């Protein structure tokens, strides 16, 4: 037995003999000793195993040596992490370079990863901030405030409290308006209001309107604040893009005026909203790039002239006011210092010719540049053979585009002795790049694109719709730079950059994001929509938070209706007519395809109805919707006069889409008098009477002193009923009910005036309550009660006590009177008792229709009359 155990022990030791563990001593213990040591170790451990013990146990089951791994990690030396795997000899230059190259790649990758991660988190934070600002802005607008409120301390908590109080009713939200505006803001809004009115007047006449020129003039007449000056620049850009003339050509008479006037409205809609790959779309993009470039040229020429005037002594313009001489003077001011030209300026024929030619082109004086090049042709050809001929071809080309052979020649010359030369004039390099559209991916030119405007002009001059994606490719690059890149250098320039690159929707959205340029944004959007350069999204893609819709598969779109409503809601109650003028502009996008145009019209009609509902009642409201004169003739309101702008083809469509639906909304918002007037204007006479009956029934139980709305309803009802009786309109149950309800109100007024006899006489004339006859007749009248109009049935508890009060008042008056004989008194009292009893029988039959208190009150008065 012992031999077997010995052999077993030797075999077990041989199992791990190949493993070398010098840090562990050899254990030579018997089984009893091993058991005793194990029990001793277990007694020293706590009762419950720790998480670390459980983890080590689980890892051990998976054949993972956790203590060994922990020891390896603890003794890890990271100092040699980036050392070569094989030691490099001092003479192994190739190995050293290979290792350095690998380390550079690793460092570059790590740096790119870190920058990407940092940019991602910055972008995420910026987007989160913008989303929160947009939501907060939306909340304040719904509550009637403006985005400026959001900047005040503690505004978030106040906004939440106000939101909880105001979100109980959608009607309250739609009816809210903004706080009082500053005087400066009101002046700006009024100045632009006039341009919108002129635009709509021209549209009604069927003539074109130079809307952009009108907006630029309005902005120029305002105070010289930054937003107005930037608006002038934006208008100048759009004028160049659209080619809008400053005024219509003079003609002899109005008919010729309409026939000869150029058509501006929706001129570019087909090309802009159609297939972006079509020839028309490419031509429009080329026109946009050219317009943006020309606007920058005019702007820079103005800077040059102002700079020469400001530094006339240094400029030394002399008596030659030519364009070339002004450019020479400008170059002297900018590059001539301390009696010599700057080092990078090359002097040709005694002047900085390359800079002069470039700045002539830069300011839009291409022909003058060609004339200057021809005048100095000999000196130029001595240095750059063939330049003048290529320059002439480029200038005279309608699209500033040379043939491939010319471009290849320019490319070879550029690469051969210009690109890498240390002393090459940068303006000569820029001219070669422009003529041959060389290196379009290198977007900067040293000493040439010093400002944002210079840089952007250079990009637009290099744009070719047949190469590098054209204007769309440039826009992708600019969007990758982002707003922050441009706004850091110059405030407000990002919107202008977007306009010059054809991103009109984004430009308007950028202006709308800033409270100080909201007015400019809305009017710029109207001008763009008028020319057909604004894309409207489908209703399903429109966001409540932002008017701009960005889609990965469709171009950007701007919800014009959302933008206009957020603007006009500030003054819709105070000046509904002006708000209506802006809503007319929503229909400018009615010709957009894929069902968007019809949705736009529906949105415009909805806004018109909303204005009608929210506008204050009074003469201004009647002027808005129309009405009837005292003689019964109808006069049209402003809404109906502008029906052609709303694309309402006939009076039936106008009544159905505007008046009747607005009347229903007035009913829902408890504006019954306005609803009645609207139904009446729409010719829905039956609904007018039905609405009158319901309104009279609802206000009958209210005291006149506390019911101003009831007074208005009754006044309206009297006027309409007189007119309908004269015209024999809406004859039927509803009109009869309205007449009876008015008679009941007359009785109430008479009773309150202390004339119960007149009130009783009026009530008897309504034939609502049987005051005589036998029980069978009274019972039959009670059975017929259910056939009365609902408004009359609901007010049973009003006119039954009214009639009984009149009887009781007359009873007390007769009993207290000493001016009549006893016989006459008894006869009058008997008559009152004969009227009181049928009333009580009638009330008893209809007892289930009134509260017990009312019936008890009637019974008590009947007992007093019977005594």
């Amino acid at each position: 037995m012992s031999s077997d155990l010995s052999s077993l022990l030797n075999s077990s030791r041989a199992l791990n003999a190949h493993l070398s563990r010098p840090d562990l001593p050899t254990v030579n213990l018997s089984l009893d000793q091993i058991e005793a040591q194990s029990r001793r170790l277990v007694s020293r451990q706590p009762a419950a195993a720790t998480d670390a013990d459980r983890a080590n146990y689980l890892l051990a089951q998976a054949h993972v040596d956790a203590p060994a791994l922990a020891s390896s990690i603890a003794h890890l030396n990271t100092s040699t992490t980036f050392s070569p795997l094989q030691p490099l000899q001092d003479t192994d230059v190739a190995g050293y370079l290979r290792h350095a190259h690998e380390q550079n790649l690793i460092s570059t990758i790590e740096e790119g990863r870190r920058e990407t991660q940092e940019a991602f988190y910055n972008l995420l934070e910026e987007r989160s901030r913008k989303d929160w600002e947009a939501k907060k802005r939306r909340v304040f607008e719904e509550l009637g405030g403006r985005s400026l409120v959001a900047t005040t301390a503690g505004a978030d908590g106040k906004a939440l409290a106000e939101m909880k109080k105001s979100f109980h009713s959608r009607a309250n939200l739609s009816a809210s308006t903004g706080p009082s505006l500053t005087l400066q803001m009101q002046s700006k809004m009024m100045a632009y209001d006039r341009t919108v009115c002129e635009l709509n007047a021209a549209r009604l006449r069927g003539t074109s309107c130079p809307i952009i020129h009108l907006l630029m003039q309005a902005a120029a007449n305002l105070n010289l604040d930054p937003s107005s000056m930037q608006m002038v620049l934006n208008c100048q850009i759009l004028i160049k893009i659209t080619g809008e003339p400053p005024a219509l050509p003079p003609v002899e008479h109005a008919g010729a005026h309409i026939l000869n006037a150029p058509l501006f409205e929706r001129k570019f809609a087909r090309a802009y909203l159609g297939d972006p790959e079509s020839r028309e779309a490419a031509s429009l993009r080329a026109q946009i790039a050219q317009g943006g470039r020309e606007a920058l040229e005019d702007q820079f020429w103005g800077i040059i002239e102002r700079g020469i005037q400001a530094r006339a002594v240094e400029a030394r313009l002399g008596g030659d006011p030519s364009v070339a001489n002004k450019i020479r003077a400008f170059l002297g001011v900018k590059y001539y210092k301390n009696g010599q030209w700057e080092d990078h300026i090359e002097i040709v024929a005694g002047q900085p010719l390359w800079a002069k030619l470039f700045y002539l082109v830069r300011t839009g004086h291409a022909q003058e540049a060609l004339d200057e090049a021809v005048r100095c042709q000999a000196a130029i050809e001595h240095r750059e053979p063939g330049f003048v001929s290529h320059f002439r071809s480029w200038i005279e080309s309608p699209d500033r585009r040379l043939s491939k052979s010319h471009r290849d020649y320019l490319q070879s010359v550029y690469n051969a002795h210009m690109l890498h030369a240390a002393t090459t004039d940068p303006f000569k390099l820029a001219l070669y790049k422009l003529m041959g559209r060389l290196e379009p991916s290198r977007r900067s030119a040293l000493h040439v694109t010093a400002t944002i405007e210079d840089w952007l002009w250079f990009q637009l001059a290099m744009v070719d719709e047949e190469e590098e994606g054209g204007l769309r490719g440039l826009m992708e690059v600019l969007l990758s730079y982002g707003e922050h890149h441009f706004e850091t250098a110059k405030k407000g320039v990002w919107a202008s950059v977007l306009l010059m690159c054809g991103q009109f929707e984004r430009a308007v959205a950028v202006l709308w994001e800033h409270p100080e340029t909201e007015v400019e944004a809305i009017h710029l959007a109207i001008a763009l929509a008028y020319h057909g350069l604004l894309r409207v999204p489908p209703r399903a893609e429109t966001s409540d938070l932002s008017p701009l819709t960005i889609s990965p598969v469709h171009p950007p779109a701007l919800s014009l209706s959302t933008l206009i409503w957020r603007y006009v809601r500030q003054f819709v109650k105070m000046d509904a007519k002006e708000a209506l003028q802006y809503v007319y502009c929503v229909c400018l996008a009615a010709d957009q395809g894929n069902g968007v145009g019809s949705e736009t019209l529906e949105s415009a009609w909805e806004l018109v109805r909303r204005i009608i509902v929210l506008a204050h009642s009074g003469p201004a409201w009647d002027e808005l919707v129309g009405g009837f004169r005292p003689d019964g003739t109808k006069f049209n309101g402003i809404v109906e006069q502008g029906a052609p702008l709303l694309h309402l083809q006939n009076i039936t469509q106008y009544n159905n889409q505007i008046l009747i639906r607005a009347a229903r909304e007035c009913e829902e918002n408890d504006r019954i008098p306005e609803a009645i007037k609207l139904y009446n204007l729409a010719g829905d006479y039956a609904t007018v009477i039905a609405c009158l009956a319901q309104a009279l029934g609802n206000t009958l139980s209210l005291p006149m002193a506390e019911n101003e709305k009831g007074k208005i309803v009754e006044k309206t009802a009297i006027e309409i009923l007189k007119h309908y009786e004269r015209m024999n309109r809406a004859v039927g149950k509803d009109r009869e009910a309205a007449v009876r309800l008015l008679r009941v109100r007359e009785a109430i007024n008479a009773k309150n005036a202390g004339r119960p006899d007149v009130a009783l006489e009026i009530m008897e004339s309504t034939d609502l309550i049987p005051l005589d006859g036998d029980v069978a007749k009274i019972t039959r009248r009670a059975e017929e009660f259910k056939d009365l109009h609902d408004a009359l049935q609901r007010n049973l508890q009003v006119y039954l006590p009214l009639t009984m009060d009149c009887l009781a008042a007359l009873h007390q008056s007769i009993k207290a009177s000493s001016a009549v004989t006893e016989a006459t008194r008894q006869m009058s009292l008997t008559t009152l008792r004969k009227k009181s009893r049928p009333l009580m029988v009638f009330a008893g039959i209809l007892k289930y229709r009134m509260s017990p208190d009312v019936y008890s009150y009637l019974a008590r008065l009947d007992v007093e009359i019977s005594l």
Side-chain angles (χ1 to χ4, degrees), residues 738-780:
V739 172
R740 285 182 167 184
L741 289 168
L742 282 177
R743 295 291 288 169
V744 172
R745 172 54 72 180
E746 290 180 22
I748 294 175
N749 294 339
K751 173 184 170 294
N752 293 336
R755 302 183 62 185
D757 53 338
V758 176
L760 182 61
E761 182 180 350
I762 294 173
M763 287 305 303
E764 287 184 286
S765 67
T766 62
D767 200 23
L768 289 173
I769 304 170
L771 296 179
D772 56 8
D774 54 11
V775 176
K777 181 180 179 181
I778 296 172
T779 303
R780 186 171 62 254

Side-chain angles (χ1 to χ4, degrees), residues 548-720:
L548 182 66
T549 300
I550 302 295
S551 171
V553 295
H554 299 294
L558 190 80
S559 177
L560 187 60
S561 60
T562 301
L563 206 66
I564 284 179
W565 176 247
R566 292 187 183 180
Y567 179 74
V568 302
R569 66 182 303 162
Q570 304 172 81
F571 54 87
V572 64
K573 284 188 174 182
M574 301 174 289
D575 200 344
K577 294 186 294 183
E578 295 297 333
L580 189 64
Q581 295 293 328
Y582 283 89
V583 174
Y584 287 152
C585 297
V586 175
C587 300
L588 287 169
D591 59 349
Q592 191 167 330
N594 298 325
V596 178
S598 58
E599 291 181 353
T600 300
L601 285 180
E602 292 175 1
S603 299
W605 298 339
E606 180 183 354
L607 294 183
V608 172
R609 296 193 296 267
R610 196 179 298 178
I611 290 174
I612 293 173
V613 174
L614 293 178
H616 286 302
S617 299
W621 193 85
D622 294 337
E623 185 182 356
L624 184 70
V625 300
F628 290 92
R629 300 183 181 90
D631 59 356
T633 58
K634 179 182 176 182
F635 63 91
N636 296 333
I638 298 174
V639 179
E640 188 172 355
Q641 295 170 9
L645 300 180
L646 296 170
H647 293 249
L648 297 171
Q649 305 301 328
N650 49 57
I651 190 63
T652 302
Q653 190 179 13
Y654 170 73
N655 290 339
N656 293 336
Q657 295 295 339
I658 304 297
L659 294 183
I660 293 179
R661 296 181 65 178
R664 293 172 185 165
E665 294 181 17
C666 284
E667 282 189 87
E668 294 173 359
N669 287 270
D670 196 26
R671 299 192 65 180
I672 304 303
E674 289 79 6
I676 293 170
K677 290 182 179 179
L678 291 173
Y679 282 128
N680 191 31
L681 288 169
D684 192 355
Y685 307 123
T687 306
V688 171
I689 295 300
C691 188
L692 270 178
Q694 291 293 337
L696 290 170
N698 293 337
T699 60
L700 192 63
S701 60
L702 300 177
M704 282 297 290
E706 303 175 6
N707 190 15
E708 292 297 328
K709 187 179 295 184
K711 294 179 181 179
I712 299 174
V713 170
E714 289 167 18
K715 180 181 178 181
T716 304
I718 292 172
E719 295 175 355
I720 290 178

